[in-house]
Amino acid sequence: MKQRINLLIAFSVVAFIVLTTVQCYLVKTTYDYKVAQFHTQIKNEIAQITNNYSDIDSVLVSKKEALYKSLSENYIVGKNSKSVVKTGILENEYKDALTQKIQRKFERDLPNFKIDFAIVLNKFILYKNAKKADTIFSEKPFIENKLYGNLASLNHAFLVRSYVGTTNGSFENQNYQLLTEDSMYVSVIDWEMIILRRMTFILILSLFSIATIISLFVIAIKALIKQKKVSDVKTDFINNITHELKTPLATLGISTKILEQKSIRDNDENFNSIVNTISRQNNRLQNLIDQVMANSLAENEIELKKEKIETEDFLLSIVNDFKITFPKINLKTDFQTQKTVLILDKFHLTTAFLNVLENAVKYGSKTITVKTRIVEKQLSIIFEDDGIGIAKNKQSLLFEKFYRVEQGNLHNTKGLGLGLYYVDQIVKAHQGTVSVISDLGKGAQFTILLKV
Ligand code: ADP
Protein backbone atom coordinates (compact mmCIF):
# COMPACT_ATOMS: atom_id res chain seq x y z
CA MET A 1 0.00 0.00 0.00
CA LYS A 2 2.83 2.38 0.97
CA GLN A 3 4.59 1.53 -2.28
CA ARG A 4 1.40 2.21 -4.20
CA ILE A 5 1.02 5.61 -2.53
CA ASN A 6 4.65 6.48 -3.34
CA LEU A 7 4.10 5.35 -6.94
CA LEU A 8 0.95 7.46 -7.14
CA ILE A 9 2.78 10.49 -5.73
CA ALA A 10 5.59 9.97 -8.27
CA PHE A 11 3.05 9.71 -11.12
CA SER A 12 1.21 12.79 -9.87
CA VAL A 13 4.46 14.77 -9.74
CA VAL A 14 5.40 13.67 -13.28
CA ALA A 15 1.89 14.45 -14.58
CA PHE A 16 2.04 17.81 -12.84
CA ILE A 17 5.43 18.63 -14.36
CA VAL A 18 4.17 17.65 -17.85
CA LEU A 19 1.00 19.72 -17.44
CA THR A 20 2.95 22.71 -16.13
CA THR A 21 5.43 22.45 -19.03
CA VAL A 22 2.57 22.32 -21.55
CA GLN A 23 0.94 25.31 -19.82
CA CYS A 24 4.21 27.27 -19.90
CA TYR A 25 4.68 26.40 -23.58
CA LEU A 26 1.15 27.57 -24.38
CA VAL A 27 1.61 30.80 -22.42
CA LYS A 28 4.96 31.42 -24.18
CA THR A 29 3.38 30.75 -27.61
CA THR A 30 0.53 33.13 -26.80
CA TYR A 31 3.07 35.72 -25.64
CA ASP A 32 5.05 35.43 -28.89
CA TYR A 33 1.84 35.67 -30.88
CA LYS A 34 0.74 38.75 -28.92
CA VAL A 35 4.16 40.37 -29.49
CA ALA A 36 3.91 39.72 -33.25
CA GLN A 37 0.32 41.02 -33.25
CA PHE A 38 1.44 44.13 -31.36
CA HIS A 39 4.27 44.79 -33.81
CA THR A 40 1.88 44.45 -36.75
CA GLN A 41 -0.55 46.85 -35.10
CA ILE A 42 2.18 49.45 -34.51
CA LYS A 43 3.52 48.96 -38.05
CA ASN A 44 0.06 49.49 -39.57
CA GLU A 45 -0.66 52.55 -37.49
CA ILE A 46 2.73 54.13 -38.24
CA ALA A 47 2.46 53.27 -41.93
CA GLN A 48 -0.70 55.33 -42.09
CA ILE A 49 1.07 58.32 -40.53
CA THR A 50 4.33 58.49 -42.50
CA ASN A 51 3.97 56.90 -45.87
CA ASN A 52 6.32 59.47 -47.20
CA TYR A 53 8.39 61.92 -45.21
CA SER A 54 6.98 64.75 -47.26
CA ASP A 55 3.68 64.14 -45.39
CA ILE A 56 5.49 65.38 -42.34
CA ASP A 57 7.33 68.38 -43.73
CA SER A 58 7.77 68.97 -47.44
CA VAL A 59 10.22 71.86 -46.90
CA LEU A 60 12.58 69.68 -44.90
CA VAL A 61 12.24 66.86 -47.40
CA SER A 62 13.19 69.08 -50.31
CA LYS A 63 16.16 70.34 -48.26
CA LYS A 64 17.18 66.72 -47.77
CA GLU A 65 16.91 66.00 -51.49
CA ALA A 66 18.98 69.10 -52.28
CA LEU A 67 21.67 67.91 -49.88
CA TYR A 68 21.74 64.43 -51.44
CA LYS A 69 22.01 65.98 -54.92
CA SER A 70 24.83 68.34 -54.07
CA LEU A 71 26.78 65.58 -52.30
CA SER A 72 26.29 63.26 -55.30
CA GLU A 73 27.26 65.86 -57.85
CA ASN A 74 30.39 66.81 -55.95
CA TYR A 75 31.22 63.14 -55.80
CA ILE A 76 30.70 62.71 -59.54
CA VAL A 77 33.21 65.44 -60.29
CA GLY A 78 35.63 64.03 -57.76
CA LYS A 79 35.35 66.80 -55.19
CA ASN A 80 34.05 64.47 -52.49
CA SER A 81 35.26 61.11 -51.30
CA LYS A 82 32.80 58.37 -50.30
CA SER A 83 33.41 59.03 -46.60
CA VAL A 84 32.73 62.74 -47.00
CA VAL A 85 29.41 61.91 -48.67
CA LYS A 86 28.48 59.61 -45.77
CA THR A 87 29.42 62.14 -43.09
CA GLY A 88 27.58 64.87 -44.98
CA ILE A 89 24.40 62.80 -45.05
CA LEU A 90 24.56 61.74 -41.43
CA GLU A 91 25.40 65.17 -40.06
CA ASN A 92 22.55 66.91 -41.85
CA GLU A 93 21.43 70.23 -40.37
CA TYR A 94 17.70 69.35 -40.29
CA LYS A 95 18.26 66.24 -38.09
CA ASP A 96 16.80 67.69 -34.88
CA ALA A 97 13.94 69.52 -36.56
CA LEU A 98 12.72 66.39 -38.38
CA THR A 99 13.11 64.23 -35.27
CA GLN A 100 10.91 66.63 -33.29
CA LYS A 101 8.29 66.79 -36.05
CA ILE A 102 7.99 63.02 -36.31
CA GLN A 103 7.88 62.70 -32.51
CA ARG A 104 5.09 65.25 -32.27
CA LYS A 105 3.16 63.42 -34.99
CA PHE A 106 3.43 60.15 -33.08
CA GLU A 107 2.25 61.84 -29.88
CA ARG A 108 -0.75 63.32 -31.66
CA ASP A 109 -1.78 60.33 -33.77
CA LEU A 110 -0.85 57.48 -31.41
CA PRO A 111 -1.62 58.97 -27.99
CA ASN A 112 -1.87 55.54 -26.30
CA PHE A 113 1.78 54.66 -26.91
CA LYS A 114 5.04 56.36 -26.05
CA ILE A 115 7.20 55.73 -29.10
CA ASP A 116 10.93 56.19 -29.58
CA PHE A 117 12.25 55.82 -33.11
CA ALA A 118 15.30 55.92 -35.34
CA ILE A 119 15.58 56.20 -39.10
CA VAL A 120 18.86 54.69 -40.27
CA LEU A 121 20.36 54.98 -43.73
CA ASN A 122 21.30 51.63 -45.30
CA LYS A 123 22.14 52.41 -48.92
CA PHE A 124 23.35 55.28 -51.02
CA ILE A 125 24.05 54.12 -54.59
CA LEU A 126 24.76 56.20 -57.69
CA TYR A 127 24.01 55.01 -61.26
CA LYS A 128 26.01 57.20 -63.61
CA ASN A 129 24.65 57.40 -67.17
CA ALA A 130 22.10 54.80 -66.09
CA LYS A 131 24.80 52.15 -66.41
CA LYS A 132 27.29 51.35 -63.74
CA ALA A 133 26.30 51.21 -60.12
CA ASP A 134 28.67 53.06 -57.85
CA THR A 135 27.96 52.03 -54.28
CA ILE A 136 28.97 54.86 -52.08
CA PHE A 137 27.49 53.29 -49.08
CA SER A 138 25.64 49.98 -48.29
CA GLU A 139 25.40 48.61 -44.80
CA LYS A 140 23.07 46.62 -42.59
CA PRO A 141 20.75 48.73 -40.40
CA PHE A 142 23.07 50.17 -37.78
CA ILE A 143 22.34 52.81 -35.09
CA GLU A 144 25.56 54.71 -35.95
CA ASN A 145 23.97 55.45 -39.37
CA LYS A 146 21.04 57.23 -37.76
CA LEU A 147 19.58 59.99 -39.88
CA TYR A 148 16.94 61.17 -37.42
CA GLY A 149 15.25 59.89 -34.26
CA ASN A 150 15.74 59.67 -30.51
CA LEU A 151 16.61 55.96 -30.14
CA ALA A 152 20.06 55.24 -28.75
CA SER A 153 20.15 51.56 -29.73
CA LEU A 154 18.31 49.20 -32.06
CA ASN A 155 18.50 46.31 -29.56
CA HIS A 156 14.90 46.37 -28.35
CA ALA A 157 13.48 48.13 -31.38
CA PHE A 158 11.67 46.51 -34.29
CA LEU A 159 11.61 47.34 -37.98
CA VAL A 160 8.51 49.20 -39.01
CA ARG A 161 9.33 49.74 -42.65
CA SER A 162 12.06 50.46 -45.17
CA TYR A 163 11.82 53.38 -47.55
CA VAL A 164 13.50 53.30 -50.93
CA GLY A 165 13.88 56.67 -52.68
CA THR A 166 15.18 57.42 -56.17
CA THR A 167 16.27 60.79 -57.54
CA ASN A 168 17.24 61.49 -61.13
CA GLY A 169 19.57 64.31 -62.10
CA SER A 170 22.01 65.52 -64.62
CA PHE A 171 25.30 67.24 -63.95
CA GLU A 172 27.99 68.31 -66.37
CA ASN A 173 26.47 66.30 -69.20
CA GLN A 174 26.19 63.26 -67.05
CA ASN A 175 22.80 61.77 -66.25
CA TYR A 176 22.71 60.01 -62.97
CA GLN A 177 20.22 58.24 -60.76
CA LEU A 178 20.49 58.14 -57.01
CA LEU A 179 19.04 55.25 -55.00
CA THR A 180 18.71 55.54 -51.22
CA GLU A 181 17.25 53.13 -48.71
CA ASP A 182 16.48 53.93 -45.11
CA SER A 183 14.69 51.93 -42.39
CA MET A 184 12.53 53.07 -39.54
CA TYR A 185 12.93 51.30 -36.20
CA VAL A 186 10.64 51.95 -33.25
CA SER A 187 10.53 50.94 -29.63
CA VAL A 188 7.33 51.33 -27.63
CA ILE A 189 8.00 52.25 -24.00
CA ASP A 190 6.65 49.61 -21.55
CA TRP A 191 5.57 47.36 -24.39
CA GLU A 192 6.03 44.29 -22.14
CA MET A 193 3.45 45.68 -19.70
CA ILE A 194 1.04 46.41 -22.57
CA ILE A 195 1.34 42.80 -23.77
CA LEU A 196 1.05 41.37 -20.25
CA ARG A 197 -2.08 43.45 -19.75
CA ARG A 198 -3.50 41.99 -22.95
CA MET A 199 -2.70 38.49 -21.63
CA THR A 200 -4.18 38.99 -18.14
CA PHE A 201 -7.13 36.68 -18.75
CA ILE A 202 -4.98 33.84 -20.09
CA LEU A 203 -2.43 34.24 -17.28
CA ILE A 204 -5.10 34.20 -14.56
CA LEU A 205 -6.78 31.20 -16.17
CA SER A 206 -3.56 29.19 -16.42
CA LEU A 207 -2.45 30.09 -12.88
CA PHE A 208 -5.89 29.14 -11.62
CA SER A 209 -5.78 25.79 -13.42
CA ILE A 210 -2.30 25.01 -12.06
CA ALA A 211 -3.42 25.95 -8.52
CA THR A 212 -6.52 23.76 -8.92
CA ILE A 213 -4.43 20.79 -10.07
CA ILE A 214 -2.01 21.19 -7.14
CA SER A 215 -4.90 21.42 -4.64
CA LEU A 216 -6.58 18.35 -6.14
CA PHE A 217 -3.35 16.35 -5.97
CA VAL A 218 -2.75 17.39 -2.37
CA ILE A 219 -6.35 16.60 -1.32
CA ALA A 220 -6.31 13.21 -3.09
CA ILE A 221 -2.94 12.18 -1.63
CA LYS A 222 -3.88 13.38 1.87
CA ALA A 223 -7.13 11.37 1.69
CA LEU A 224 -5.21 8.32 0.55
CA ILE A 225 -2.65 8.61 3.36
CA LYS A 226 -5.42 9.07 5.92
CA GLN A 227 -7.26 6.06 4.55
CA LYS A 228 -4.09 4.02 4.80
CA LYS A 229 -3.58 5.10 8.41
CA VAL A 230 -7.16 4.18 9.31
CA SER A 231 -6.82 0.80 7.62
CA ASP A 232 -3.48 0.18 9.41
CA VAL A 233 -5.03 1.11 12.74
CA LYS A 234 -7.95 -1.28 12.13
CA THR A 235 -5.61 -4.12 11.15
CA ASP A 236 -3.62 -3.48 14.31
CA PHE A 237 -6.80 -3.58 16.37
CA ILE A 238 -7.82 -6.93 14.89
CA ASN A 239 -4.34 -8.31 15.60
CA ASN A 240 -4.43 -6.97 19.14
CA ILE A 241 -7.89 -8.25 19.99
CA THR A 242 -7.08 -11.67 18.50
CA HIS A 243 -3.96 -11.72 20.65
CA GLU A 244 -5.94 -10.66 23.73
CA LEU A 245 -8.63 -13.29 23.14
CA LYS A 246 -6.22 -16.14 22.48
CA THR A 247 -4.87 -16.45 26.06
CA PRO A 248 -8.23 -16.75 27.91
CA LEU A 249 -9.64 -19.03 25.20
CA ALA A 250 -6.61 -21.31 25.34
CA THR A 251 -6.83 -21.43 29.17
CA LEU A 252 -10.55 -22.21 28.94
CA GLY A 253 -9.86 -25.00 26.42
CA ILE A 254 -7.18 -26.59 28.64
CA SER A 255 -9.35 -26.21 31.77
CA THR A 256 -12.31 -28.03 30.12
CA LYS A 257 -9.98 -30.82 29.02
CA ILE A 258 -8.71 -31.16 32.61
CA LEU A 259 -12.27 -31.22 33.97
CA GLU A 260 -13.02 -34.15 31.67
CA GLN A 261 -10.65 -36.23 33.83
CA LYS A 262 -12.55 -38.05 36.56
CA SER A 263 -9.56 -37.91 38.97
CA ILE A 264 -9.71 -34.10 38.94
CA ARG A 265 -13.47 -33.98 39.41
CA ASP A 266 -13.14 -36.27 42.43
CA ASN A 267 -10.56 -33.98 44.08
CA ASP A 268 -12.43 -30.98 45.51
CA GLU A 269 -9.38 -28.75 45.81
CA ASN A 270 -8.25 -29.30 42.20
CA PHE A 271 -11.81 -29.02 40.94
CA ASN A 272 -12.35 -25.65 42.68
CA SER A 273 -9.04 -24.30 41.43
CA ILE A 274 -9.95 -25.17 37.82
CA VAL A 275 -13.45 -23.67 38.22
CA ASN A 276 -11.82 -20.49 39.60
CA THR A 277 -9.53 -20.32 36.60
CA ILE A 278 -12.52 -20.76 34.26
CA SER A 279 -14.42 -18.03 36.07
CA ARG A 280 -11.37 -15.65 35.96
CA GLN A 281 -10.88 -16.20 32.25
CA ASN A 282 -14.61 -15.77 31.70
CA ASN A 283 -14.43 -12.42 33.52
CA ARG A 284 -11.45 -11.40 31.44
CA LEU A 285 -13.33 -12.16 28.23
CA GLN A 286 -16.33 -10.26 29.57
CA ASN A 287 -14.12 -7.25 30.42
CA LEU A 288 -12.59 -7.23 26.98
CA ILE A 289 -16.02 -7.26 25.36
CA ASP A 290 -17.26 -4.54 27.75
CA GLN A 291 -14.23 -2.42 26.92
CA VAL A 292 -14.90 -2.66 23.19
CA MET A 293 -18.62 -2.02 23.71
CA ALA A 294 -18.03 0.98 25.99
CA ASN A 295 -15.76 2.52 23.43
CA SER A 296 -18.18 2.09 20.58
CA LEU A 297 -20.14 5.03 22.01
CA ALA A 298 -19.48 8.48 20.63
CA GLU A 299 -18.80 11.35 23.03
CA ASN A 300 -22.37 12.71 22.81
CA GLU A 301 -23.85 9.25 23.41
CA ILE A 302 -22.11 8.82 26.78
CA GLU A 303 -24.60 9.22 29.61
CA LEU A 304 -22.99 11.08 32.48
CA LYS A 305 -24.20 11.02 36.04
CA LYS A 306 -22.74 14.29 37.23
CA GLU A 307 -22.46 15.43 40.82
CA LYS A 308 -20.68 18.18 42.79
CA ILE A 309 -17.22 16.97 43.75
CA GLU A 310 -14.21 18.40 45.53
CA THR A 311 -11.78 17.50 42.80
CA GLU A 312 -8.58 17.33 44.90
CA ASP A 313 -10.20 14.84 47.35
CA PHE A 314 -11.50 12.81 44.45
CA LEU A 315 -8.02 12.71 42.86
CA LEU A 316 -6.41 11.79 46.16
CA SER A 317 -8.71 8.79 46.63
CA ILE A 318 -7.81 7.51 43.14
CA VAL A 319 -4.09 8.06 43.86
CA ASN A 320 -4.31 6.16 47.16
CA ASP A 321 -6.15 3.19 45.60
CA PHE A 322 -3.58 3.13 42.81
CA LYS A 323 -0.72 3.06 45.33
CA ILE A 324 -2.20 -0.08 46.88
CA THR A 325 -2.48 -1.80 43.47
CA PHE A 326 1.01 -0.73 42.36
CA PRO A 327 3.08 -0.53 45.55
CA LYS A 328 6.39 -0.45 43.65
CA ILE A 329 5.48 2.75 41.77
CA ASN A 330 6.51 6.06 43.33
CA LEU A 331 3.27 8.04 42.96
CA LYS A 332 3.54 11.65 44.15
CA THR A 333 1.09 14.54 44.30
CA ASP A 334 1.73 18.24 43.81
CA PHE A 335 -1.57 20.04 44.26
CA GLN A 336 -1.45 23.84 43.99
CA THR A 337 -5.21 24.16 44.18
CA GLN A 338 -7.61 23.53 47.05
CA LYS A 339 -11.18 22.39 47.32
CA THR A 340 -11.99 23.00 43.68
CA VAL A 341 -15.65 22.08 43.34
CA LEU A 342 -16.59 20.76 39.91
CA ILE A 343 -19.62 18.97 38.56
CA LEU A 344 -18.27 15.67 37.30
CA ASP A 345 -19.15 12.05 36.60
CA LYS A 346 -17.12 10.20 39.21
CA PHE A 347 -17.40 6.74 37.65
CA HIS A 348 -16.27 7.62 34.11
CA LEU A 349 -13.58 10.06 35.25
CA THR A 350 -12.13 7.47 37.67
CA THR A 351 -11.75 5.05 34.73
CA ALA A 352 -10.24 7.80 32.58
CA PHE A 353 -7.68 8.86 35.23
CA LEU A 354 -6.83 5.21 35.90
CA ASN A 355 -6.27 4.66 32.18
CA VAL A 356 -3.67 7.45 32.18
CA LEU A 357 -2.00 6.19 35.35
CA GLU A 358 -1.98 2.54 34.16
CA ASN A 359 -0.51 3.62 30.82
CA ALA A 360 2.33 5.34 32.68
CA VAL A 361 3.14 2.06 34.45
CA LYS A 362 2.60 0.00 31.28
CA TYR A 363 5.01 2.19 29.34
CA GLY A 364 7.96 1.99 31.71
CA SER A 365 7.37 4.61 34.37
CA LYS A 366 8.73 4.28 37.92
CA THR A 367 7.78 7.72 39.23
CA ILE A 368 4.49 9.45 38.49
CA THR A 369 3.48 12.90 39.69
CA VAL A 370 -0.12 14.12 39.72
CA LYS A 371 -0.32 17.94 39.73
CA THR A 372 -3.18 20.39 39.87
CA ARG A 373 -3.07 24.03 38.77
CA ILE A 374 -5.50 26.77 37.81
CA VAL A 375 -4.80 27.91 34.24
CA GLU A 376 -6.99 30.62 32.69
CA LYS A 377 -10.04 29.80 34.79
CA GLN A 378 -9.65 26.10 34.16
CA LEU A 379 -8.53 23.31 36.47
CA SER A 380 -5.48 21.68 34.97
CA ILE A 381 -4.82 18.08 36.10
CA ILE A 382 -1.38 16.94 35.01
CA PHE A 383 -0.08 13.36 35.02
CA GLU A 384 3.68 13.41 34.61
CA ASP A 385 5.66 10.21 34.18
CA ASP A 386 9.26 9.17 33.48
CA GLY A 387 8.45 6.30 31.11
CA ILE A 388 9.58 5.63 27.54
CA GLY A 389 7.77 8.69 26.19
CA ILE A 390 6.12 9.10 22.80
CA ALA A 391 7.84 10.31 19.62
CA LYS A 392 6.50 13.69 18.42
CA ASN A 393 5.37 12.30 15.05
CA LYS A 394 3.18 9.67 16.77
CA GLN A 395 1.29 12.10 18.95
CA SER A 396 -1.30 13.36 16.48
CA LEU A 397 -3.18 10.03 16.41
CA LEU A 398 -2.73 9.17 20.09
CA PHE A 399 -6.36 9.83 21.07
CA GLU A 400 -7.77 8.04 18.00
CA LYS A 401 -9.73 4.86 18.45
CA PHE A 402 -7.59 1.67 18.30
CA TYR A 403 -4.38 3.63 17.83
CA ARG A 404 -1.26 2.09 19.37
CA VAL A 405 2.28 3.30 18.89
CA GLU A 406 4.21 0.58 17.13
CA GLN A 407 7.87 0.80 17.90
CA GLY A 408 10.60 -1.10 19.75
CA ASN A 409 9.19 -3.80 21.96
CA LEU A 410 5.86 -2.07 22.52
CA HIS A 411 3.99 -4.99 21.02
CA ASN A 412 4.84 -6.90 24.18
CA THR A 413 2.58 -4.59 26.16
CA LYS A 414 -1.04 -5.57 26.07
CA GLY A 415 -3.70 -3.16 24.94
CA LEU A 416 -6.40 -2.45 22.41
CA GLY A 417 -5.58 1.19 21.74
CA LEU A 418 -8.79 2.25 23.47
CA GLY A 419 -7.49 3.69 26.76
CA LEU A 420 -6.63 7.22 25.59
CA TYR A 421 -9.58 7.28 23.18
CA TYR A 422 -11.84 6.69 26.18
CA VAL A 423 -10.05 9.43 28.18
CA ASP A 424 -10.58 11.86 25.29
CA GLN A 425 -14.27 10.97 24.93
CA ILE A 426 -14.98 11.34 28.65
CA VAL A 427 -13.06 14.63 28.99
CA LYS A 428 -14.84 16.00 25.91
CA ALA A 429 -18.18 14.94 27.39
CA HIS A 430 -17.23 17.22 30.33
CA GLN A 431 -16.45 20.04 27.84
CA GLY A 432 -12.78 19.69 28.71
CA THR A 433 -9.65 18.98 26.70
CA VAL A 434 -6.78 16.54 26.99
CA SER A 435 -3.33 17.03 25.53
CA VAL A 436 0.11 15.48 25.68
CA ILE A 437 3.65 16.80 25.86
CA SER A 438 6.29 14.15 25.35
CA ASP A 439 9.27 12.93 23.41
CA LEU A 440 10.90 9.56 22.98
CA GLY A 441 12.84 8.64 26.12
CA LYS A 442 11.75 11.76 27.99
CA GLY A 443 8.60 10.59 29.76
CA ALA A 444 5.13 11.91 29.05
CA GLN A 445 2.93 14.62 30.48
CA PHE A 446 -0.84 14.31 29.98
CA THR A 447 -2.84 17.44 30.84
CA ILE A 448 -6.59 17.44 31.35
CA LEU A 449 -8.28 20.83 31.44
CA LEU A 450 -11.73 21.13 33.04
CA LYS A 451 -13.84 24.30 33.26
CA VAL A 452 -14.12 25.65 36.80
P1 ADP B 1 -3.08 0.92 24.69
O1 ADP B 1 -2.33 1.27 25.95
O2 ADP B 1 -4.14 -0.08 24.90
O3 ADP B 1 -2.16 0.58 23.59
P2 ADP B 1 -4.01 3.64 24.76
O4 ADP B 1 -5.07 4.30 23.98
O5 ADP B 1 -4.11 3.69 26.23
O6 ADP B 1 -3.88 2.19 24.20
O7 ADP B 1 -2.64 4.30 24.34
C1 ADP B 1 -2.33 4.48 23.00
C2 ADP B 1 -0.83 4.43 22.79
O8 ADP B 1 -0.23 5.56 23.40
C3 ADP B 1 -0.17 3.28 23.42
O9 ADP B 1 -0.11 2.17 22.52
C4 ADP B 1 1.21 3.76 23.80
O10 ADP B 1 2.09 3.53 22.74
C5 ADP B 1 1.04 5.25 23.92
N1 ADP B 1 1.04 5.73 25.34
C6 ADP B 1 -0.02 5.99 26.11
N2 ADP B 1 0.35 6.45 27.32
C7 ADP B 1 1.70 6.46 27.32
C8 ADP B 1 2.70 6.82 28.29
N3 ADP B 1 2.38 7.27 29.51
N4 ADP B 1 4.01 6.69 27.92
C9 ADP B 1 4.34 6.26 26.70
N5 ADP B 1 3.45 5.90 25.74
C10 ADP B 1 2.15 5.98 26.05
Side-chain angles (χ1 to χ4, degrees):
M1 180 84 174
K2 192 158 188 202
Q3 234 179 1
R4 261 171 53 196
I5 291 182
N6 285 343
L7 213 68
L8 207 86
I9 292 177
F11 268 129
S12 310
V13 171
V14 172
F16 174 68
I17 291 173
V18 172
L19 278 175
T20 319
T21 316
V22 172
Q23 281 274 0
C24 289
Y25 174 74
L26 288 178
V27 170
K28 173 78 175 72
T29 315
T30 316
Y31 179 80
D32 290 344
Y33 170 72
K34 290 270 175 196
V35 171
Q37 202 185 34
F38 179 68
H39 285 181
T40 315
Q41 181 199 350
I42 296 288
K43 274 182 200 173
N44 289 342
E45 292 191 24
I46 288 180
Q48 280 168 17
I49 302 171
T50 56
N51 259 332
N52 185 324
Y53 299 122
S54 50
D55 299 350
I56 296 167
D57 193 314
S58 52
V59 178
L60 286 179
V61 170
S62 41
K63 269 193 185 176
K64 180 187 91 171
E65 277 174 3
L67 172 71
Y68 283 11
K69 267 190 165 177
S70 90
L71 284 171
S72 308
E73 285 165 6
N74 280 335
Y75 176 77
I76 289 172
V77 294
K79 278 195 202 161
N80 277 351
S81 67
K82 286 186 181 179
S83 66
V84 171
V85 177
K86 186 178 173 187
T87 332
I89 299 167
L90 295 180
E91 288 175 0
N92 59 76
E93 45 163 334
Y94 44 83
K95 202 173 191 146
D96 292 340
L98 203 54
T99 301
Q100 279 174 17
K101 289 235 164 179
I102 297 177
Q103 251 179 331
R104 248 176 273 134
K105 192 134 178 78
F106 282 159
E107 277 165 23
R108 208 170 344 115
D109 293 354
L110 295 170
N112 295 332
F113 305 110
K114 247 184 110 343
I115 294 175
D116 288 340
F117 75 99
I119 295 169
V120 289
L121 187 68
N122 310 327
K123 280 182 188 148
F124 196 91
I125 303 172
L126 262 177
Y127 292 88
K128 279 180 263 174
N129 287 329
K131 270 192 226 154
K132 230 175 94 212
D134 188 357
T135 305
I136 295 176
F137 175 78
S138 175
E139 286 176 14
K140 278 188 182 162
F142 196 41
I143 193 68
E144 271 70 22
N145 296 341
K146 182 165 79 176
L147 286 173
Y148 342 101
N150 56 346
L151 261 183
S153 145
L154 296 187
N155 282 350
H156 297 290
F158 60 95
L159 178 70
V160 173
R161 65 179 174 73
S162 290
Y163 179 78
V164 179
T166 49
T167 318
N168 293 316
S170 147
F171 185 63
E172 292 189 353
N173 295 332
Q174 278 206 61
N175 287 331
Y176 68 89
Q177 192 181 32
L178 177 63
L179 183 131
T180 58
E181 185 195 288
D182 58 40
S183 303
M184 180 187 260
Y185 280 82
V186 301
S187 156
V188 181
I189 314 252
D190 283 343
W191 63 273
E192 289 101 335
M193 282 312 292
I194 297 172
I195 288 173
L196 283 182
R197 236 177 282 134
R198 290 180 183 184
M199 287 180 61
T200 315
F201 182 66
I202 285 184
L203 283 177
I204 291 179
L205 212 70
S206 71
L207 283 179
F208 177 75
S209 60
I210 288 181
T212 313
I213 289 170
I214 294 181
S215 320
L216 287 180
F217 277 157
V218 171
I219 292 171
I221 286 165
K222 264 192 174 172
L224 216 77
I225 291 172
K226 189 161 183 196
Q227 210 182 18
K228 185 194 171 299
K229 272 188 184 155
V230 169
S231 105
D232 282 357
V233 159
K234 289 215 165 126
T235 317
D236 279 357
F237 170 71
I238 292 169
N239 291 342
N240 288 331
I241 196 133
T242 321
H243 177 78
E244 295 285 304
L245 290 175
K246 255 185 194 159
T247 328
L249 280 177
T251 321
L252 282 175
I254 295 165
S255 307
T256 344
K257 280 250 153 41
I258 296 172
L259 278 187
E260 281 168 4
Q261 295 169 22
K262 195 166 180 321
S263 59
I264 300 286
R265 288 203 301 270
D266 290 346
N267 182 329
D268 270 0
E269 202 183 323
N270 283 348
F271 181 79
N272 285 340
S273 141
I274 297 293
V275 168
N276 276 341
T277 309
I278 292 177
S279 151
R280 258 202 326 275
Q281 296 307 330
N282 184 41
N283 281 344
R284 197 159 158 214
L285 280 177
Q286 192 60 52
N287 280 341
L288 274 173
I289 290 164
D290 286 350
Q291 211 185 338
V292 177
M293 293 292 283
N295 284 290
S296 62
L297 292 176
E299 104 202 49
N300 48 4
E301 291 173 55
I302 299 171
E303 254 185 57
L304 296 180
K305 288 199 190 94
K306 287 189 181 176
E307 54 190 302
K308 272 191 179 176
I309 293 170
E310 265 190 22
T311 319
E312 291 79 6
D313 284 353
F314 168 56
L315 274 174
L316 217 53
S317 67
I318 295 175
V319 166
N320 289 335
D321 286 353
F322 195 81
K323 275 182 179 163
I324 296 167
T325 329
F326 295 95
K328 286 187 186 149
I329 300 295
N330 178 13
L331 184 52
K332 299 189 285 189
T333 54
D334 167 14
F335 292 173
Q336 287 188 13
T337 59
Q338 274 180 349
K339 299 187 188 303
T340 316
V341 178
L342 297 181
I343 302 169
L344 306 171
D345 181 311
K346 248 179 156 174
F347 173 75
H348 284 301
L349 272 178
T350 307
T351 317
F353 292 159
L354 282 177
N355 280 354
V356 179
L357 288 169
E358 279 167 8
N359 271 350
V361 178
K362 234 164 63 173
Y363 300 108
S365 187
K366 294 277 171 285
T367 306
I368 308 169
T369 315
V370 183
K371 301 176 179 175
T372 65
R373 305 278 186 276
I374 292 285
V375 180
E376 290 171 0
K377 290 191 182 163
Q378 295 192 88
L379 177 69
S380 163
I381 305 167
I382 303 152
F383 297 88
E384 207 175 82
D385 70 46
D386 60 350
I388 58 170
I390 308 148
K392 290 255 186 284
N393 62 347
K394 309 277 176 185
Q395 290 172 12
S396 61
L397 292 171
L398 215 58
F399 299 99
E400 297 276 313
K401 206 173 193 175
F402 308 136
Y403 181 76
R404 304 196 75 212
V405 178
E406 10 158 332
Q407 63 194 10
N409 59 359
L410 273 194
H411 271 310
N412 297 339
T413 44
K414 286 179 184 169
L416 296 177
L418 288 170
L420 288 181
Y421 170 73
Y422 179 82
V423 174
D424 189 49
Q425 297 298 299
I426 293 303
V427 173
K428 274 186 185 153
H430 282 85
Q431 277 81 49
T433 57
V434 56
S435 59
V436 65
I437 300 174
S438 178
D439 210 344
L440 212 54
K442 293 191 179 154
Q445 182 182 311
F446 286 88
T447 304
I448 292 168
L449 287 175
L450 296 170
K451 283 210 176 75
V452 177

